[in-house]
Coordinates of all heavy atoms in Angstrom, one line a residue:
Q1 N 61.4 11.0 57.4 CA 62.2 10.0 57.9 C 61.6 8.7 58.3 O 62.0 8.1 59.3 CB 63.2 10.6 58.9 CG 64.3 11.5 58.4 CD 63.7 12.9 58.2 OE1 62.9 13.4 59.1 NE2 64.2 13.5 57.2
M2 N 60.5 8.3 57.6 CA 59.8 7.1 58.0 C 60.6 5.9 57.4 O 60.9 5.9 56.1 CB 58.5 7.1 57.3 CG 57.6 5.9 57.8 SD 55.9 6.0 57.3 CE 55.9 5.0 55.8
P3 N 61.1 5.1 58.2 CA 62.1 4.0 57.6 C 61.5 2.9 56.8 O 62.1 2.2 55.9 CB 62.6 3.4 59.0 CG 61.7 3.6 59.9 CD 60.9 4.8 59.5
A4 N 60.0 2.5 57.1 CA 59.5 1.5 56.3 C 58.1 1.7 56.1 O 57.5 2.5 57.0 CB 59.8 0.2 57.0
F5 N 57.3 1.0 55.2 CA 56.0 0.9 55.1 C 55.4 -0.4 55.0 O 56.1 -1.3 54.2 CB 55.6 1.8 53.8 CG 54.1 1.8 53.5 CD1 53.2 2.5 54.2 CD2 53.7 0.9 52.4 CE1 51.9 2.7 53.9 CE2 52.3 0.9 52.1 CZ 51.5 1.7 52.9
F6 N 54.3 -0.8 55.7 CA 53.8 -2.1 55.6 C 52.3 -2.0 55.4 O 51.6 -1.3 56.2 CB 54.3 -2.9 56.9 CG 53.7 -4.3 56.9 CD1 54.3 -5.3 56.1 CD2 52.6 -4.7 57.6 CE1 53.8 -6.6 56.0 CE2 52.1 -6.1 57.5 CZ 52.8 -6.9 56.7
S7 N 51.8 -2.6 54.4 CA 50.3 -2.5 54.2 C 49.8 -3.9 54.8 O 50.2 -4.9 54.5 CB 50.0 -2.4 52.6 OG 48.8 -2.4 52.4
V8 N 48.5 -3.7 55.3 CA 47.8 -4.9 55.8 C 46.4 -4.6 56.0 O 45.9 -3.4 56.0 CB 48.3 -5.3 57.3 CG1 48.0 -4.2 58.2 CG2 47.8 -6.5 57.9
K9 N 45.6 -5.5 55.6 CA 44.1 -5.4 55.5 C 43.4 -5.2 56.9 O 44.0 -5.7 57.8 CB 43.5 -6.7 54.9 CG 43.7 -6.8 53.4 CD 42.9 -7.8 52.7 CE 41.3 -7.7 52.8 NZ 40.8 -6.7 52.0
K10 N 42.5 -4.5 56.9 CA 41.8 -4.2 58.3 C 41.3 -5.4 59.0 O 41.2 -5.6 60.2 CB 40.6 -3.2 58.1 CG 41.1 -1.9 57.8 CD 40.1 -0.8 57.7 CE 39.3 -1.0 56.4 NZ 38.2 0.0 56.1
S11 N 40.7 -6.3 58.2 CA 40.2 -7.6 58.7 C 41.3 -8.4 59.4 O 41.0 -9.0 60.5 CB 39.7 -8.4 57.7 OG 40.5 -8.6 56.7
I12 N 42.6 -8.4 59.0 CA 43.6 -9.2 59.6 C 44.0 -8.4 60.9 O 44.1 -9.2 62.0 CB 44.9 -9.2 58.8 CG1 44.4 -10.2 57.6 CG2 46.0 -9.8 59.5 CD1 45.7 -10.3 56.5
L13 N 44.0 -7.1 60.9 CA 44.2 -6.4 62.1 C 43.1 -6.5 63.2 O 43.4 -6.7 64.4 CB 44.4 -4.9 61.8 CG 45.6 -4.4 61.0 CD1 45.6 -3.0 60.7 CD2 47.0 -4.9 61.7
S14 N 41.9 -6.6 62.7 CA 40.8 -6.9 63.7 C 41.0 -8.3 64.4 O 40.8 -8.5 65.5 CB 39.5 -6.9 62.9 OG 39.3 -5.7 62.5
L15 N 41.3 -9.2 63.5 CA 41.6 -10.6 64.0 C 42.7 -10.6 65.1 O 42.7 -11.1 66.2 CB 41.8 -11.6 63.0 CG 41.4 -13.0 63.3 CD1 40.0 -13.2 63.7 CD2 41.8 -13.8 62.1
F16 N 43.9 -10.0 64.8 CA 45.0 -9.9 65.6 C 44.7 -9.2 66.9 O 45.2 -9.4 68.0 CB 46.1 -9.1 64.8 CG 46.9 -10.0 63.9 CD1 47.9 -9.5 63.0 CD2 46.6 -11.3 63.7 CE1 48.5 -10.2 62.1 CE2 47.1 -12.1 62.7 CZ 48.2 -11.5 61.9
A17 N 43.8 -8.2 66.8 CA 43.5 -7.4 68.1 C 42.8 -8.2 69.0 O 42.8 -7.8 70.2 CB 42.7 -6.1 67.6
N18 N 42.1 -9.2 68.5 CA 41.4 -10.2 69.5 C 42.3 -11.4 69.8 O 41.8 -12.3 70.3 CB 40.1 -10.6 68.8 CG 39.0 -9.5 68.9 OD1 38.6 -9.1 69.8 ND2 38.9 -8.9 67.7
G19 N 43.6 -11.3 69.5 CA 44.5 -12.4 70.0 C 44.4 -13.6 69.1 O 44.7 -14.7 69.7
R20 N 43.9 -13.6 67.8 CA 43.8 -14.7 67.1 C 44.5 -14.6 65.8 O 44.7 -13.4 65.2 CB 42.2 -15.0 66.9 CG 41.6 -15.4 68.1 CD 40.1 -15.7 67.8 NE 39.3 -15.8 69.1 CZ 39.3 -17.0 69.8 NH1 40.0 -17.9 69.5 NH2 38.6 -16.9 70.8
T21 N 44.8 -15.8 65.2 CA 45.5 -15.5 63.8 C 44.7 -16.4 62.8 O 44.9 -16.2 61.6 CB 46.9 -16.2 63.8 OG1 46.9 -17.6 64.2 CG2 47.9 -15.4 64.7
T22 N 43.7 -17.0 63.2 CA 42.8 -17.7 62.3 C 41.3 -17.5 62.7 O 41.0 -17.5 63.8 CB 43.1 -19.3 62.4 OG1 44.4 -19.5 61.9 CG2 42.1 -20.1 61.4
G23 N 40.6 -17.2 61.7 CA 39.1 -16.9 62.0 C 38.4 -16.4 60.7 O 38.9 -16.3 59.6
V24 N 37.1 -16.0 61.0 CA 36.3 -15.4 60.0 C 36.0 -14.0 60.4 O 35.4 -13.8 61.6 CB 35.1 -16.2 59.7 CG1 34.3 -15.5 58.7 CG2 35.5 -17.4 59.2
V25 N 36.1 -12.9 59.6 CA 35.8 -11.7 60.0 C 34.7 -11.1 59.0 O 34.7 -11.3 57.9 CB 37.1 -10.6 59.8 CG1 36.6 -9.2 60.1 CG2 38.2 -11.1 60.7
L26 N 33.5 -10.5 59.7 CA 32.5 -9.8 58.9 C 32.8 -8.4 58.9 O 32.7 -7.7 59.9 CB 31.2 -10.2 59.5 CG 29.9 -9.6 58.9 CD1 29.8 -10.3 57.6 CD2 28.7 -9.9 59.7
E27 N 33.0 -7.8 57.7 CA 33.2 -6.4 57.5 C 31.9 -5.8 56.8 O 31.6 -6.2 55.8 CB 34.4 -6.0 56.6 CG 35.7 -6.4 57.3 CD 36.8 -6.1 56.2 OE1 36.5 -5.7 55.1 OE2 38.0 -6.2 56.5
T28 N 31.3 -4.8 57.5 CA 30.2 -4.2 56.9 C 30.4 -2.7 56.8 O 30.8 -2.0 57.8 CB 28.9 -4.4 57.9 OG1 28.7 -5.7 58.0 CG2 27.7 -3.8 57.1
G29 N 30.3 -2.1 55.6 CA 30.6 -0.8 55.3 C 29.2 -0.1 54.9 O 28.2 -0.6 55.0
A30 N 29.4 1.1 54.4 CA 28.2 1.7 53.8 C 27.6 1.1 52.7 O 26.4 1.1 52.6 CB 28.6 3.2 53.4
S31 N 28.4 0.5 51.7 CA 27.8 -0.1 50.6 C 28.2 -1.6 50.4 O 27.5 -2.2 49.5 CB 28.2 0.7 49.3 OG 29.7 0.7 49.3
V32 N 29.1 -2.1 51.1 CA 29.5 -3.5 50.8 C 29.8 -4.2 52.2 O 30.2 -3.6 53.1 CB 30.8 -3.4 50.0 CG1 31.4 -4.9 49.9 CG2 30.7 -2.8 48.8
T33 N 29.3 -5.5 52.2 CA 29.5 -6.4 53.3 C 30.5 -7.5 52.8 O 30.1 -8.1 51.7 CB 28.3 -6.9 53.9 OG1 27.4 -5.8 54.3 CG2 28.6 -8.0 55.0
Q34 N 31.5 -7.9 53.7 CA 32.4 -8.9 53.1 C 32.6 -9.9 54.4 O 32.6 -9.5 55.5 CB 33.8 -8.4 52.8 CG 33.9 -7.6 51.6 CD 35.4 -7.2 51.2 OE1 36.1 -6.8 52.1 NE2 35.5 -7.1 50.0
V35 N 32.6 -11.2 54.0 CA 33.1 -12.2 54.8 C 34.5 -12.7 54.4 O 34.7 -13.2 53.3 CB 32.1 -13.4 54.8 CG1 32.5 -14.5 55.7 CG2 30.7 -13.0 55.0
V36 N 35.4 -12.5 55.4 CA 36.9 -12.5 55.2 C 37.4 -13.7 56.0 O 37.5 -13.5 57.1 CB 37.6 -11.3 55.3 CG1 39.0 -11.5 55.0 CG2 37.1 -10.2 54.7
P37 N 37.7 -14.8 55.3 CA 38.3 -16.0 56.1 C 39.8 -15.7 56.2 O 40.5 -15.4 55.2 CB 38.0 -17.2 55.4 CG 37.7 -16.7 53.9 CD 37.2 -15.3 54.0
I38 N 40.4 -16.0 57.4 CA 41.7 -15.8 57.6 C 42.4 -17.0 58.2 O 41.9 -17.5 59.1 CB 42.1 -14.5 58.4 CG1 41.5 -13.3 57.7 CG2 43.5 -14.4 58.7 CD1 41.5 -12.0 58.5
S39 N 43.4 -17.5 57.7 CA 44.1 -18.7 58.2 C 45.5 -18.4 58.5 O 46.3 -17.9 57.6 CB 44.1 -19.8 57.1 OG 44.8 -20.9 57.8
E40 N 46.0 -18.4 59.8 CA 47.4 -18.1 60.2 C 47.9 -16.7 59.7 O 49.0 -16.7 59.3 CB 48.3 -19.3 59.8 CG 48.1 -20.6 60.5 CD 48.0 -20.6 62.0 OE1 48.9 -20.0 62.5 OE2 47.2 -21.2 62.4
G41 N 47.0 -15.8 59.7 CA 47.4 -14.4 59.4 C 47.3 -14.0 57.8 O 47.6 -13.0 57.5
Y42 N 46.9 -15.1 57.0 CA 46.8 -14.8 55.7 C 45.3 -15.0 55.2 O 44.5 -15.7 55.5 CB 47.6 -15.9 54.9 CG 49.1 -15.7 55.2 CD1 49.7 -16.5 56.1 CD2 49.9 -14.8 54.4 CE1 51.0 -16.5 56.2 CE2 51.2 -14.7 54.5 CZ 51.8 -15.5 55.6 OH 53.1 -15.4 55.7
T43 N 44.9 -13.9 54.4 CA 43.5 -13.8 53.8 C 43.4 -15.1 52.8 O 44.3 -15.1 52.0 CB 43.3 -12.5 53.2 OG1 43.4 -11.5 54.2 CG2 41.9 -12.5 52.6

């Protein structure tokens, strides 16, 4: 009985968790590093 589903990128959630909607997030994983610019909540 889940009413809805919303998909969002981890980089946007990281920025929101820090109280910002615009910024640059550096994501480093096991095999890939990404620089993700975000403006007003949009990648």
Side-chain angles (χ1 to χ4, degrees):
Q1 287 78 39
M2 186 169 98
F5 175 78
F6 183 73
S7 177
V8 63
K9 288 187 66 65
K10 289 184 282 186
S11 55
I12 294 175
L13 292 177
S14 296
L15 203 60
F16 286 172
N18 286 291
R20 301 183 183 276
T21 58
T22 300
V24 177
V25 177
L26 178 67
E27 291 182 357
T28 302
S31 60
V32 177
T33 297
Q34 290 183 326
V35 178
V36 184
I38 300 169
S39 177
E40 298 300 323
Y42 293 97
T43 302

